[in-house]
Each structure stands twice: as C-alpha cells, then as structure tokens.
Amino acid sequence: VVSGGRIDGIKSVVENWFLFLRSAVLGWGIGVIPGVGGTVANFVAYLQAKQTSSDQESFGEGNVKGVIASEAANDAKDGGSMLPTLGLGVPGSASTAVLLGAFILHGVTPGPLLFQENLQLVFVIVFALVISNILTSLIGLVSINPLAKLTKISISTLAPIVIVIGLLGSFVIRGNFADVLLAGFFGVFGFAM
C-alpha cells in the first residue's frame, strides 16, 4: 500500500514495471476486440493483478498495484482499438466509432486499402496517439494538486451539479422532455439498486 505524492507514484510504477507492462499488453489485446471497451480491460487487468499478488487482501484497500494494472490496461486499450478501426473499418470502441464517422465524412475509407492509399495518415494517427498519451501523463502530473482538491468537495455540493448536467445532456440530444424523464427514472432506479 502506497501513499504519498507524485514522486512516490512514479516510483511505484517503476518498481512494478512488469505488472505495468503485462497489464498494458492485456489492455491492448482487449482493445483489439471490437466493442469490448475499457471497462472490461480495467476489470480484467485489476483481477489479474489481484490473483497474481501475494497480498490479495490489500486489494480494494489501497494497494497501488490495482491502480497501476487497471490504468495501464485502460490507456493501452485505445491503441488496440485502433487496429480493427483502421485495418478492418470496424469500430473498436465508442471513440473510434466517432473517428470512423469522421473518416467517412472526409472521404477516407478505413480498411486494408487505407494502409495502401493513405499510409501517411495511419502514421499520423499512431504518432498522435503516442503524443497524446505523453501529454496527458504530463498534464496529470502537473495538475495533480488542484485535481486532488476536487475530492474534498462535499457530495451535497457536487450531486446537484452532476444531476443538472446529466439531465440537460439527456434533453439536448433530441430536445425531447421525455428523455429527461427517462434519464431521471433510470437514475433513481440505478441509485436504488
């Protein structure tokens, strides 16, 4: 169990490099399967880290290995989901479905021909994915203190804001008030469960 600042977090990842690498490969492999998504990668990597740990009881109580495993898998699944999207034209996740739609709008046809006709576009996408992972890691390290302060906000302040934004989002999609009622019903139903 680790507690501390960002240096301790970086040390934990370096000390658990094999877990990090194994979970990243697992996340990438799950990302290749179309439609599975990041949630499955998170849970599988977490459970795999727990099963292979000698201290299984500390998982769910703050063991940093669970965080490292699930986050490594979550970040790696994006790269894996690009393979079916670019190579087959089948969206690997919700975000790649949006990317696939953007390709089609711009006249780019994903699939085997993409690698023959627009190989430079494939390299741009791969490099952009690598650079975005590096940038988000750096931004996360720099903004960790202000983001940690968000956890101190009371639920009585945060809940109304989240509820209003959620209900507003359900209305904006189609401009139908019935969608707001449906979102409210399932929100209460989910809370009751």
Side-chain angles (χ1 to χ4, degrees), residues 46-107:
Y46 178 84
L47 292 173
Q48 174 266 333
K50 183 177 179 180
Q51 287 177 346
T52 58
S53 176
S54 59
D55 186 21
Q56 293 183 11
E57 297 80 30
S58 67
F59 278 75
E61 302 293 326
N63 191 324
V64 74
K65 291 180 181 180
V67 176
I68 292 170
S70 64
E71 286 304 313
N74 185 49
D75 291 344
K77 60 103 175 110
D78 293 328
S81 67
M82 292 302 254
L83 189 65
T85 303
L86 297 176
L88 303 172
V90 176
S93 65
S95 58
T96 55
V98 173
L99 181 66
L100 191 64
F103 281 160
I104 293 169
L105 283 174
H106 290 286

Side-chain angles (χ1 to χ4, degrees), residues 18-158:
F18 185 71
L19 173 67
F20 176 80
L21 186 63
R22 183 176 60 194
S23 299
V25 169
L26 182 65
W28 184 86
I30 290 172
V32 169
I33 303 168
V36 175
T39 305
V40 174
N42 287 347
F43 279 111
V44 170
Y46 178 84
L47 292 173
Q48 174 266 333
K50 183 177 179 180
Q51 287 177 346
T52 58
S53 176
S54 59
D55 186 21
Q56 293 183 11
E57 297 80 30
S58 67
F59 278 75
E61 302 293 326
N63 191 324
V64 74
K65 291 180 181 180
V67 176
I68 292 170
S70 64
E71 286 304 313
N74 185 49
D75 291 344
K77 60 103 175 110
D78 293 328
S81 67
M82 292 302 254
L83 189 65
T85 303
L86 297 176
L88 303 172
V90 176
S93 65
S95 58
T96 55
V98 173
L99 181 66
L100 191 64
F103 281 160
I104 293 169
L105 283 174
H106 290 286
V108 177
T109 306
L113 290 178
L114 177 66
F115 291 90
Q116 293 174 356
E117 297 172 357
N118 290 318
L119 187 60
Q120 71 279 8
L121 180 62
V122 174
F123 280 115
V124 166
I125 292 168
V126 169
F127 288 128
L129 189 62
V130 169
I131 290 169
S132 71
N133 277 324
I134 292 168
L135 283 177
T136 53
S137 296
L138 292 174
I139 290 169
L141 287 172
V142 169
S143 63
I144 198 165
N145 290 336
L147 291 176
K149 290 178 183 174
L150 289 175
T151 62
K152 306 244 187 259
I153 298 174
S154 70
I155 192 71
S156 60
T157 304
L158 199 56

